[in-house]
Amino acid sequence: RTNPSAKTESALSPYACQRRTTMDNHNKIFTDALEVLAENLEFGGNQGPSLAFRRAASVLKSLPAALKHLQETQHLPCLGEHSRAVIEEIIEYGSSSRVEEILNDERYRTMKLFSSVFGVGPKTSESWFCRGLRSFEQVLNEPSVRLNRMQTAGFLFYEDISKPVSRTEASALKIIVEEAVISVNPSATVSITGGFRRGKEFGHDVDFIIKTPEAGQEDAILTAVIERFKSQNILLYSDFQESTFDLRQLPTHCFEAMDHYSKCFLIIKLKREQETDARAGRDWRAVRVDLVAPPLERFAYALLGWTGSTLFERDLRRFARLERGKLLDNHTLYDKATNTFLPANTEEDIFAHLGLEYIEPWQRNA
Ligand code: 8DG
Ligand code: MN
Ligand code: MN
């Protein structure tokens, strides 16, 4: 006999921050399809509707086994009629006709190609597509196209940076970043964040967060690290954004993956283990690296924000607001009932403030 209260307890939450989602996705065939539908809507500027597909995919990623029958989705949250129809079609025929159509669609394919360039977002991709451009060659030969510095670097190093970065390469980069940071400030530390902290084997970049005990040194440490990379001749591109953090302006009401910390978006030369590309005559490849340096007392919030996944972060903020009357961002947690900021030394503190069970980084792949 089933115990009804036990059933309630095990029911999946509609909030990603109340689910444990590891890297082993047993429902990739469904989640890939749902994410193509989401991406296609995002390319058209329809963020709202795309989120329904993102949420549906995320719920499936947290399941302990592959779906075999549509009935198994009956008690799952966030699965709308449209998502269920897609799942049903895949269970029955192995693929979704709508998804196949999108994958063959000229607009989708072109938007996907253009937005794979560092510095090129959906808006730029769209404007190129609308001008009739369909390939990199056409973009680069179009007189009316003006590339900014980031996009110029994006095209210049496209072949290298479109190749996924491995965990081994991420570890090699950590040593390089650590060496540079410590040479500038021996009491500073470097931690890997982003996808690799969640246990991913490959990433589109490597994200690092720098902890420095001296207040107000966040900008100085990043500029010094950048100078060091320059003098080592391993800096290919750098976009440094100085801190605009101001405690008096908290809480910020922008619930995007944006913050006011000192940070930089880099392209770095990484030495290859053995010279595999002898013809090209170079013993390095270009990799994308992000560095962020928050003030010490903000570290836990910054780490939580930069660990991701994007949907996990979005649901943490939404849960805080709707279920707890609190405002969460990458800097702080604000309690609207008491008009106070809640301090945190660790990520565990933040989950505790929110009355949430702690979710480990490798369980945040929502
Ligand atoms: P990937 O690189 O393997 O593709 O995955 P990822 O590591 O999860 O994605 P990411 O694009 O590198 O972003 C990592 C986290 O950093 C993500 O949760 C969003 C967060 N993030 C912030 N602020 C900022 C920001 O200002 N710029 C960028 N690019 N990411 C930010 O919290
Ligand atoms: Mn990343
Ligand atoms: Mn990143």
Side-chain angles (χ1 to χ4, degrees):
R1 286 173 60 112
T2 54
N3 172 354
S5 74
K7 185 158 185 142
T8 323
E9 257 173 61
S10 66
L12 267 186
S13 168
Y15 291 103
C17 57
Q18 290 186 304
R19 302 190 295 260
R20 295 176 198 274
T21 314
T22 63
M23 275 305 297
D24 55 292
N25 175 2
H26 304 283
N27 288 283
K28 199 165 183 304
I29 180 167
F30 304 110
T31 60
D32 282 353
L34 292 166
E35 283 174 346
V36 167
L37 295 167
E39 198 177 29
N40 188 50
L41 288 165
E42 284 153 16
F43 286 157
N46 299 304
Q47 308 301 327
S50 88
L51 207 49
F53 289 124
R54 294 254 172 233
R55 290 197 192 291
S58 175
V59 164
L60 300 190
K61 286 179 189 175
S62 74
L63 298 180
L67 285 174
K68 294 273 186 294
H69 305 282
L70 189 66
Q71 299 99 278
E72 298 167 43
T73 65
Q74 216 153 43
H75 300 285
L76 297 178
C78 309
L79 289 185
E81 216 175 302
H82 203 155
S83 295
R84 289 168 52 91
V86 171
I87 294 167
E88 184 171 30
E89 200 184 340
I90 295 174
I91 290 176
E92 199 154 341
Y93 303 107
S95 65
S96 147
S97 52
R98 179 66 190 126
V99 171
E100 294 305 309
E101 197 177 288
I102 292 169
L103 290 174
N104 287 307
D105 178 57
E106 188 178 28
R107 182 189 149 87
Y108 172 84
R109 294 171 74 104
T110 310
M111 293 288 289
K112 182 101 180 148
L113 176 73
F114 290 167
S115 57
S116 73
V117 179
F118 176 51
V120 179
K123 282 209 189 93
T124 306
S125 301
E126 163 124 75
S127 94
W128 291 350
F129 179 80
C130 290
R131 274 184 260 181
L133 306 173
R134 296 293 179 268
S135 67
F136 289 165
E137 201 193 343
Q138 288 171 354
V139 169
L140 296 171
N141 288 313
E142 168 62 43
S144 72
V145 167
R146 280 254 155 265
L147 298 179
N148 63 31
R149 208 170 64 85
M150 192 183 263
Q151 295 160 346
T152 304
F155 278 110
L156 197 53
F157 303 111
Y158 184 79
E159 226 188 271
D160 274 4
I161 61 184
S162 62
K163 263 187 237 131
V165 185
S166 71
R167 182 165 278 284
T168 313
E169 289 173 316
S171 305
L173 276 162
K174 181 165 189 272
I175 292 167
I176 293 167
V177 173
E178 227 158 27
E179 194 267 335
V181 166
I182 288 169
S183 81
V184 174
N185 181 342
S187 54
T189 60
V190 176
S191 309
I192 213 154
T193 177
F196 286 108
R197 183 164 184 250
R198 301 197 308 273
K200 280 179 71 172
E201 286 302 323
F202 294 95
H204 95 281
D205 67 359
V206 193
D207 307 282
F208 295 101
I209 186 164
I210 296 166
K211 190 192 233 170
T212 158
E214 293 90 354
Q217 285 306 296
E218 299 82 21
D219 285 337
I221 201 161
L222 286 191
T223 46
V225 165
I226 291 167
E227 281 310 312
R228 193 175 168 86
F229 289 161
K230 229 182 255 173
S231 68
Q232 291 171 327
N233 192 30
I234 59 167
L235 190 70
L236 294 167
Y237 172 86
S238 160
D239 173 17
F240 169 65
Q241 300 187 356
E242 69 176 5
S243 171
T244 53
F245 179 68
D246 181 353
L247 202 63
R248 290 162 303 180
Q249 282 174 10
L250 292 176
T252 55
H253 290 270
C254 104
F255 294 100
E256 293 304 314
M258 290 281 278
D259 60 49
H260 297 279
Y261 298 129
S262 181
K263 59 174 92 69
C264 57
F265 308 107
L266 310 174
I267 301 176
I268 299 281
K269 280 185 193 173
L270 179 65
K271 278 254 187 300
R272 285 204 179 96
E273 280 298 306
Q274 66 274 71
E275 196 167 331
T276 46
D277 202 356
R279 270 177 313 141
R282 58 186 174 101
D283 58 350
W284 54 269
R285 70 163 283 196
V287 280
R288 276 270 302 111
V289 172
D290 289 346
L291 306 180
V292 61
L296 185 62
E297 83 282 2
R298 301 287 126 207
F299 184 81
Y301 285 105
L303 179 64
L304 181 62
W306 277 73
T307 299
S309 68
T310 307
L311 195 73
F312 189 88
E313 300 298 330
R314 184 185 273 277
D315 273 10
L316 263 178
R317 293 181 238 255
R318 197 168 59 106
F319 177 88
R321 188 163 39 90
L322 300 179
E323 306 295 329
R324 299 291 186 255
K326 295 181 167 98
L327 300 177
L328 174 71
D329 67 11
N330 276 8
H331 316 93
T332 194
L333 180 60
Y334 179 76
D335 186 352
K336 291 201 281 185
T338 58
N339 291 314
T340 52
F341 295 107
L342 304 173
N345 288 318
T346 63
E347 289 180 315
E348 281 88 341
D349 291 344
I350 303 169
F351 282 88
H353 283 317
L354 291 171
L356 282 171
E357 277 180 40
Y358 183 63
I359 307 290
E360 299 284 356
W362 56 89
Q363 300 170 328
R364 299 180 202 162
N365 290 288

mmCIF file of all heavy atoms in Angstrom, residues 193-196 198 200 202-207 241 256-259 263 265 288 290 302 304-310 313 317 330, ligand 1:
data_model
loop_
_atom_site.group_PDB
_atom_site.id
_atom_site.type_symbol
_atom_site.label_atom_id
_atom_site.label_comp_id
_atom_site.label_asym_id
_atom_site.label_seq_id
_atom_site.Cartn_x
_atom_site.Cartn_y
_atom_site.Cartn_z
ATOM 1 N N THR A 193 34.586 28.155 -10.976
ATOM 2 C CA THR A 193 33.133 28.240 -10.780
ATOM 3 C C THR A 193 32.453 27.897 -12.114
ATOM 4 O O THR A 193 33.046 27.182 -12.914
ATOM 5 C CB THR A 193 32.757 29.612 -10.159
ATOM 6 O OG1 THR A 193 31.359 29.688 -10.056
ATOM 7 C CG2 THR A 193 33.281 30.795 -10.944
ATOM 8 N N GLY A 194 31.236 28.338 -12.344
ATOM 9 C CA GLY A 194 30.536 28.024 -13.592
ATOM 10 C C GLY A 194 30.314 26.532 -13.766
ATOM 11 O O GLY A 194 30.262 25.779 -12.796
ATOM 12 N N GLY A 195 30.220 26.114 -15.020
ATOM 13 C CA GLY A 195 29.890 24.730 -15.352
ATOM 14 C C GLY A 195 30.850 23.688 -14.780
ATOM 15 O O GLY A 195 30.415 22.617 -14.343
ATOM 16 N N PHE A 196 32.149 24.006 -14.762
ATOM 17 C CA PHE A 196 33.110 23.011 -14.241
ATOM 18 C C PHE A 196 32.901 22.761 -12.755
ATOM 19 O O PHE A 196 33.089 21.647 -12.281
ATOM 20 C CB PHE A 196 34.552 23.432 -14.545
ATOM 21 C CG PHE A 196 34.930 23.244 -15.985
ATOM 22 C CD1 PHE A 196 35.094 24.335 -16.828
ATOM 23 C CD2 PHE A 196 35.069 21.960 -16.507
ATOM 24 C CE1 PHE A 196 35.417 24.158 -18.172
ATOM 25 C CE2 PHE A 196 35.393 21.762 -17.852
ATOM 26 C CZ PHE A 196 35.565 22.877 -18.686
ATOM 27 N N ARG A 198 30.061 22.667 -11.442
ATOM 28 C CA ARG A 198 28.887 21.789 -11.401
ATOM 29 C C ARG A 198 29.211 20.388 -11.884
ATOM 30 O O ARG A 198 28.315 19.546 -12.016
ATOM 31 C CB ARG A 198 27.750 22.382 -12.253
ATOM 32 C CG ARG A 198 27.282 23.773 -11.827
ATOM 33 C CD ARG A 198 25.914 24.101 -12.424
ATOM 34 N NE ARG A 198 25.847 23.908 -13.873
ATOM 35 C CZ ARG A 198 26.177 24.812 -14.782
ATOM 36 N NH1 ARG A 198 26.603 26.010 -14.388
ATOM 37 N NH2 ARG A 198 26.073 24.558 -16.064
ATOM 38 N N LYS A 200 30.632 19.585 -14.923
ATOM 39 C CA LYS A 200 30.624 19.369 -16.368
ATOM 40 C C LYS A 200 32.008 18.902 -16.835
ATOM 41 O O LYS A 200 33.026 19.306 -16.277
ATOM 42 C CB LYS A 200 30.254 20.672 -17.099
ATOM 43 C CG LYS A 200 28.760 20.944 -17.118
ATOM 44 C CD LYS A 200 28.428 22.257 -17.829
ATOM 45 C CE LYS A 200 28.646 22.178 -19.325
ATOM 46 N NZ LYS A 200 28.132 23.417 -20.000
ATOM 47 N N PHE A 202 32.964 19.323 -20.077
ATOM 48 C CA PHE A 202 33.363 20.299 -21.090
ATOM 49 C C PHE A 202 32.636 21.618 -20.865
ATOM 50 O O PHE A 202 31.536 21.618 -20.306
ATOM 51 C CB PHE A 202 33.042 19.773 -22.502
ATOM 52 C CG PHE A 202 33.849 18.571 -22.875
ATOM 53 C CD1 PHE A 202 33.334 17.288 -22.687
ATOM 54 C CD2 PHE A 202 35.126 18.713 -23.397
ATOM 55 C CE1 PHE A 202 34.079 16.167 -23.015
ATOM 56 C CE2 PHE A 202 35.886 17.591 -23.730
ATOM 57 C CZ PHE A 202 35.365 16.315 -23.539
ATOM 58 N N GLY A 203 33.250 22.704 -21.303
ATOM 59 C CA GLY A 203 32.611 24.007 -21.157
ATOM 60 C C GLY A 203 32.912 24.894 -22.346
ATOM 61 O O GLY A 203 33.816 24.591 -23.135
ATOM 62 N N HIS A 204 32.157 25.977 -22.490
ATOM 63 C CA HIS A 204 32.452 26.903 -23.591
ATOM 64 C C HIS A 204 33.540 27.889 -23.155
ATOM 65 O O HIS A 204 34.168 28.547 -23.978
ATOM 66 C CB HIS A 204 31.180 27.607 -24.080
ATOM 67 C CG HIS A 204 30.942 28.952 -23.476
ATOM 68 N ND1 HIS A 204 30.418 29.137 -22.215
ATOM 69 C CD2 HIS A 204 31.186 30.191 -23.970
ATOM 70 C CE1 HIS A 204 30.354 30.438 -21.970
ATOM 71 N NE2 HIS A 204 30.797 31.090 -23.005
ATOM 72 N N ASP A 205 33.752 27.949 -21.828
ATOM 73 C CA ASP A 205 34.800 28.797 -21.267
ATOM 74 C C ASP A 205 35.191 28.202 -19.919
ATOM 75 O O ASP A 205 34.675 27.146 -19.538
ATOM 76 C CB ASP A 205 34.297 30.247 -21.095
ATOM 77 C CG ASP A 205 33.211 30.374 -20.031
ATOM 78 O OD1 ASP A 205 32.808 29.352 -19.428
ATOM 79 O OD2 ASP A 205 32.768 31.508 -19.786
ATOM 80 N N VAL A 206 36.106 28.879 -19.189
ATOM 81 C CA VAL A 206 36.415 28.481 -17.823
ATOM 82 C C VAL A 206 36.206 29.718 -16.946
ATOM 83 O O VAL A 206 36.717 30.794 -17.260
ATOM 84 C CB VAL A 206 37.850 27.941 -17.671
ATOM 85 C CG1 VAL A 206 38.009 27.262 -16.315
ATOM 86 C CG2 VAL A 206 38.192 26.966 -18.785
ATOM 87 N N ASP A 207 35.393 29.554 -15.902
ATOM 88 C CA ASP A 207 35.051 30.663 -15.022
ATOM 89 C C ASP A 207 35.810 30.541 -13.707
ATOM 90 O O ASP A 207 35.803 29.475 -13.077
ATOM 91 C CB ASP A 207 33.546 30.658 -14.733
ATOM 92 C CG ASP A 207 32.713 30.626 -16.008
ATOM 93 O OD1 ASP A 207 32.575 31.675 -16.637
ATOM 94 O OD2 ASP A 207 32.228 29.518 -16.382
ATOM 95 N N GLN A 241 35.989 44.967 -16.920
ATOM 96 C CA GLN A 241 34.895 45.818 -16.454
ATOM 97 C C GLN A 241 35.111 46.110 -14.986
ATOM 98 O O GLN A 241 35.052 45.207 -14.160
ATOM 99 C CB GLN A 241 33.547 45.113 -16.680
ATOM 100 C CG GLN A 241 33.331 44.802 -18.154
ATOM 101 C CD GLN A 241 31.950 44.263 -18.461
ATOM 102 O OE1 GLN A 241 31.139 44.040 -17.570
ATOM 103 N NE2 GLN A 241 31.692 44.063 -19.734
ATOM 104 N N GLU A 256 18.784 39.631 -13.696
ATOM 105 C CA GLU A 256 19.459 39.008 -14.829
ATOM 106 C C GLU A 256 20.793 38.463 -14.325
ATOM 107 O O GLU A 256 21.201 38.733 -13.205
ATOM 108 C CB GLU A 256 19.692 40.039 -15.932
ATOM 109 C CG GLU A 256 18.406 40.534 -16.580
ATOM 110 C CD GLU A 256 17.549 39.409 -17.140
ATOM 111 O OE1 GLU A 256 18.087 38.516 -17.820
ATOM 112 O OE2 GLU A 256 16.334 39.413 -16.870
ATOM 113 N N ALA A 257 21.487 37.730 -15.200
ATOM 114 C CA ALA A 257 22.809 37.219 -14.820
ATOM 115 C C ALA A 257 23.834 38.348 -14.984
ATOM 116 O O ALA A 257 24.796 38.254 -15.724
ATOM 117 C CB ALA A 257 23.176 36.012 -15.664
ATOM 118 N N MET A 258 23.582 39.441 -14.286
ATOM 119 C CA MET A 258 24.444 40.625 -14.387
ATOM 120 C C MET A 258 24.796 41.026 -12.970
ATOM 121 O O MET A 258 23.974 40.917 -12.075
ATOM 122 C CB MET A 258 23.672 41.784 -15.023
ATOM 123 C CG MET A 258 23.360 41.600 -16.482
ATOM 124 S SD MET A 258 24.779 41.948 -17.486
ATOM 125 C CE MET A 258 24.678 43.733 -17.566
ATOM 126 N N ASP A 259 26.000 41.494 -12.768
ATOM 127 C CA ASP A 259 26.320 42.021 -11.457
ATOM 128 C C ASP A 259 27.295 43.179 -11.590
ATOM 129 O O ASP A 259 27.712 43.529 -12.686
ATOM 130 C CB ASP A 259 26.826 40.915 -10.521
ATOM 131 C CG ASP A 259 28.064 40.241 -11.050
ATOM 132 O OD1 ASP A 259 29.006 40.949 -11.446
ATOM 133 O OD2 ASP A 259 28.090 38.995 -11.066
ATOM 134 N N LYS A 263 35.283 42.440 -13.075
ATOM 135 C CA LYS A 263 35.387 41.180 -13.822
ATOM 136 C C LYS A 263 36.092 41.397 -15.147
ATOM 137 O O LYS A 263 36.226 42.533 -15.602
ATOM 138 C CB LYS A 263 33.998 40.569 -14.040
ATOM 139 C CG LYS A 263 33.024 41.463 -14.809
ATOM 140 C CD LYS A 263 31.736 40.744 -15.112
ATOM 141 C CE LYS A 263 30.642 40.903 -14.090
ATOM 142 N NZ LYS A 263 30.025 42.206 -13.968
ATOM 143 N N PHE A 265 36.524 39.425 -19.193
ATOM 144 C CA PHE A 265 36.265 38.372 -20.178
ATOM 145 C C PHE A 265 37.500 38.303 -21.057
ATOM 146 O O PHE A 265 37.844 39.285 -21.719
ATOM 147 C CB PHE A 265 35.011 38.705 -20.983
ATOM 148 C CG PHE A 265 33.814 39.010 -20.112
ATOM 149 C CD1 PHE A 265 33.341 40.310 -19.964
ATOM 150 C CD2 PHE A 265 33.198 38.000 -19.390
ATOM 151 C CE1 PHE A 265 32.260 40.587 -19.136
ATOM 152 C CE2 PHE A 265 32.128 38.272 -18.549
ATOM 153 C CZ PHE A 265 31.648 39.566 -18.420
ATOM 154 N N ARG A 288 38.525 30.720 -23.925
ATOM 155 C CA ARG A 288 37.791 31.793 -23.258
ATOM 156 C C ARG A 288 37.869 31.591 -21.748
ATOM 157 O O ARG A 288 37.628 30.500 -21.232
ATOM 158 C CB ARG A 288 36.328 31.766 -23.698
ATOM 159 C CG ARG A 288 36.069 32.495 -25.015
ATOM 160 C CD ARG A 288 35.734 33.964 -24.791
ATOM 161 N NE ARG A 288 34.563 34.082 -23.938
ATOM 162 C CZ ARG A 288 34.597 34.539 -22.692
ATOM 163 N NH1 ARG A 288 35.714 34.951 -22.151
ATOM 164 N NH2 ARG A 288 33.484 34.602 -21.992
ATOM 165 N N ASP A 290 36.777 33.613 -17.973
ATOM 166 C CA ASP A 290 36.118 34.707 -17.236
ATOM 167 C C ASP A 290 36.680 34.753 -15.824
ATOM 168 O O ASP A 290 36.803 33.711 -15.173
ATOM 169 C CB ASP A 290 34.599 34.469 -17.128
ATOM 170 C CG ASP A 290 33.882 34.651 -18.452
ATOM 171 O OD1 ASP A 290 34.484 35.213 -19.388
ATOM 172 O OD2 ASP A 290 32.713 34.219 -18.552
ATOM 173 N N ALA A 302 28.349 35.969 -4.621
ATOM 174 C CA ALA A 302 28.952 35.953 -5.957
ATOM 175 C C ALA A 302 29.192 34.513 -6.429
ATOM 176 O O ALA A 302 28.884 34.157 -7.560
ATOM 177 C CB ALA A 302 30.257 36.733 -5.954
ATOM 178 N N LEU A 304 27.662 31.764 -5.459
ATOM 179 C CA LEU A 304 26.361 31.134 -5.761
ATOM 180 C C LEU A 304 25.853 31.592 -7.126
ATOM 181 O O LEU A 304 25.378 30.781 -7.925
ATOM 182 C CB LEU A 304 25.347 31.477 -4.658
ATOM 183 C CG LEU A 304 23.946 30.886 -4.812
ATOM 184 C CD1 LEU A 304 23.969 29.365 -4.792
ATOM 185 C CD2 LEU A 304 23.010 31.407 -3.717
ATOM 186 N N GLY A 305 25.987 32.894 -7.411
ATOM 187 C CA GLY A 305 25.509 33.439 -8.679
ATOM 188 C C GLY A 305 26.294 32.947 -9.881
ATOM 189 O O GLY A 305 25.725 32.686 -10.934
ATOM 190 N N TRP A 306 27.610 32.802 -9.714
ATOM 191 C CA TRP A 306 28.458 32.418 -10.852
ATOM 192 C C TRP A 306 28.537 30.906 -11.058
ATOM 193 O O TRP A 306 29.082 30.430 -12.054
ATOM 194 C CB TRP A 306 29.871 33.008 -10.694
ATOM 195 C CG TRP A 306 29.920 34.431 -11.166
ATOM 196 C CD1 TRP A 306 29.397 35.527 -10.528
ATOM 197 C CD2 TRP A 306 30.466 34.914 -12.398
ATOM 198 N NE1 TRP A 306 29.608 36.648 -11.284
ATOM 199 C CE2 TRP A 306 30.266 36.315 -12.438
ATOM 200 C CE3 TRP A 306 31.124 34.305 -13.474
ATOM 201 C CZ2 TRP A 306 30.691 37.109 -13.511
ATOM 202 C CZ3 TRP A 306 31.551 35.099 -14.546
ATOM 203 C CH2 TRP A 306 31.336 36.483 -14.556
ATOM 204 N N THR A 307 28.007 30.132 -10.137
ATOM 205 C CA THR A 307 28.045 28.680 -10.301
ATOM 206 C C THR A 307 26.966 28.196 -11.273
ATOM 207 O O THR A 307 27.160 27.219 -11.977
ATOM 208 C CB THR A 307 27.941 27.985 -8.929
ATOM 209 O OG1 THR A 307 29.051 28.389 -8.133
ATOM 210 C CG2 THR A 307 27.959 26.464 -9.057
ATOM 211 N N GLY A 308 25.827 28.916 -11.352
ATOM 212 C CA GLY A 308 24.758 28.504 -12.254
ATOM 213 C C GLY A 308 24.050 27.244 -11.760
ATOM 214 O O GLY A 308 24.182 26.895 -10.572
ATOM 215 N N SER A 309 23.343 26.488 -12.609
ATOM 216 C CA SER A 309 23.075 26.856 -13.987
ATOM 217 C C SER A 309 22.149 28.073 -14.075
ATOM 218 O O SER A 309 21.582 28.489 -13.059
ATOM 219 C CB SER A 309 22.393 25.682 -14.709
ATOM 220 O OG SER A 309 21.087 25.472 -14.180
ATOM 221 N N THR A 310 21.988 28.594 -15.253
ATOM 222 C CA THR A 310 21.150 29.773 -15.451
ATOM 223 C C THR A 310 19.742 29.550 -14.903
ATOM 224 O O THR A 310 19.198 30.413 -14.222
ATOM 225 C CB THR A 310 21.096 30.104 -16.959
ATOM 226 O OG1 THR A 310 22.439 30.201 -17.429
ATOM 227 C CG2 THR A 310 20.387 31.417 -17.216
ATOM 228 N N GLU A 313 19.704 29.473 -11.080
ATOM 229 C CA GLU A 313 19.798 30.838 -10.545
ATOM 230 C C GLU A 313 18.456 31.556 -10.648
ATOM 231 O O GLU A 313 18.018 32.221 -9.710
ATOM 232 C CB GLU A 313 20.838 31.649 -11.336
ATOM 233 C CG GLU A 313 22.244 31.085 -11.304
ATOM 234 C CD GLU A 313 22.835 31.048 -9.915
ATOM 235 O OE1 GLU A 313 22.479 31.900 -9.085
ATOM 236 O OE2 GLU A 313 23.646 30.143 -9.657
ATOM 237 N N ARG A 317 16.086 32.916 -7.367
ATOM 238 C CA ARG A 317 15.580 34.281 -7.208
ATOM 239 C C ARG A 317 14.062 34.310 -7.160
ATOM 240 O O ARG A 317 13.459 35.016 -6.343
ATOM 241 C CB ARG A 317 16.061 35.165 -8.359
ATOM 242 C CG ARG A 317 17.566 35.396 -8.371
ATOM 243 C CD ARG A 317 17.960 36.290 -9.525
ATOM 244 N NE ARG A 317 18.913 35.613 -10.373
ATOM 245 C CZ ARG A 317 20.227 35.891 -10.401
ATOM 246 N NH1 ARG A 317 20.708 36.844 -9.654
ATOM 247 N NH2 ARG A 317 21.025 35.213 -11.170
ATOM 248 N N ASN A 330 23.173 38.587 -7.190
ATOM 249 C CA ASN A 330 24.561 38.134 -7.032
ATOM 250 C C ASN A 330 25.287 38.835 -5.887
ATOM 251 O O ASN A 330 26.404 38.459 -5.548
ATOM 252 C CB ASN A 330 25.353 38.381 -8.329
ATOM 253 C CG ASN A 330 25.180 37.268 -9.344
ATOM 254 O OD1 ASN A 330 24.341 36.380 -9.146
ATOM 255 N ND2 ASN A 330 25.955 37.304 -10.403
HETATM 256 P P1 8DG B 1 29.510 26.739 -20.059
HETATM 257 O O1 8DG B 1 30.514 27.838 -19.855
HETATM 258 O O2 8DG B 1 30.104 25.398 -19.883
HETATM 259 O O3 8DG B 1 28.794 26.888 -21.351
HETATM 260 O O4 8DG B 1 28.377 26.861 -18.919
HETATM 261 P P2 8DG B 1 28.343 27.840 -17.679
HETATM 262 O O5 8DG B 1 29.692 27.926 -17.037
HETATM 263 O O6 8DG B 1 27.205 27.441 -16.824
HETATM 264 O O7 8DG B 1 27.942 29.225 -18.355
HETATM 265 P P3 8DG B 1 28.649 30.659 -18.328
HETATM 266 O O8 8DG B 1 28.055 31.424 -19.466
HETATM 267 O O9 8DG B 1 30.126 30.559 -18.306
HETATM 268 O O10 8DG B 1 28.127 31.359 -17.001
HETATM 269 C C1 8DG B 1 28.453 30.895 -15.707
HETATM 270 C C2 8DG B 1 27.637 31.646 -14.716
HETATM 271 O O11 8DG B 1 28.091 32.984 -14.606
HETATM 272 C C3 8DG B 1 26.158 31.721 -15.093
HETATM 273 O O12 8DG B 1 25.348 31.198 -14.047
HETATM 274 C C4 8DG B 1 25.894 33.191 -15.260
HETATM 275 C C5 8DG B 1 26.964 33.789 -14.373
HETATM 276 N N1 8DG B 1 27.223 35.189 -14.552
HETATM 277 C C6 8DG B 1 26.935 36.067 -13.558
HETATM 278 N N2 8DG B 1 27.222 37.319 -13.958
HETATM 279 C C7 8DG B 1 27.714 37.232 -15.224
HETATM 280 C C8 8DG B 1 28.162 38.211 -16.150
HETATM 281 O O13 8DG B 1 28.162 39.406 -15.882
HETATM 282 N N3 8DG B 1 28.589 37.739 -17.347
HETATM 283 C C9 8DG B 1 28.591 36.410 -17.644
HETATM 284 N N4 8DG B 1 29.045 36.026 -18.854
HETATM 285 N N5 8DG B 1 28.153 35.471 -16.790
HETATM 286 C C10 8DG B 1 27.718 35.884 -15.596
HETATM 287 O O14 8DG B 1 26.463 35.727 -12.481
#
